[in-house]
Amino acid sequence: MEKHLMKSMIMAAVAASTLALSGCQSVDRNVAVPAGIGALGGAAIGAGITGNARGALIGAAVGGAGGALVGAATNRPGQCVYRDGRGQRYYAECPAGY
């Protein structure tokens, strides 16, 4: 019975994180995706370590915050992503007016 409750709490945490992220008017994919992945991973690790829903919720919160920070740190304002002749990605200044 407790396993079922824990799974339900994890799913509720994931749903709440998804709703919170989708409720923002302009969510940057470079922040939202890492935050979601961090929340899922944190919930799984928290549930695995503590064996209860509270640990899963704390793990989801910490993982989501950490993922958002990492995503924001990798954002490059004013920089565009290009591909060279070999298909390799690189960053350079965006064209004027872009």
Side-chain angles (χ1 to χ4, degrees):
M1 180 68 179
E2 187 170 317
K3 268 190 168 182
H4 178 68
L5 177 63
M6 184 170 28
K7 285 183 182 180
S8 297
M9 292 300 286
I10 291 171
M11 293 306 292
V14 170
S17 298
T18 303
L19 287 174
L21 290 174
S22 66
C24 297
Q25 289 189 350
S26 64
V27 176
D28 185 6
R29 283 184 52 202
N30 293 334
V31 175
V33 172
I37 292 170
L40 288 173
I45 292 169
I49 290 174
T50 64
N52 61 38
R54 182 175 182 209
L57 291 173
I58 292 170
V62 171
L69 290 173
V70 168
T74 59
N75 195 8
R76 298 180 182 198
Q79 298 283 303
C80 289
V81 180
Y82 299 96
R83 289 198 186 269
D84 63 15
R86 296 177 299 166
Q88 299 294 316
R89 291 174 37 160
Y90 67 94
Y91 295 89
E93 285 291 319
C94 292
Y98 182 73

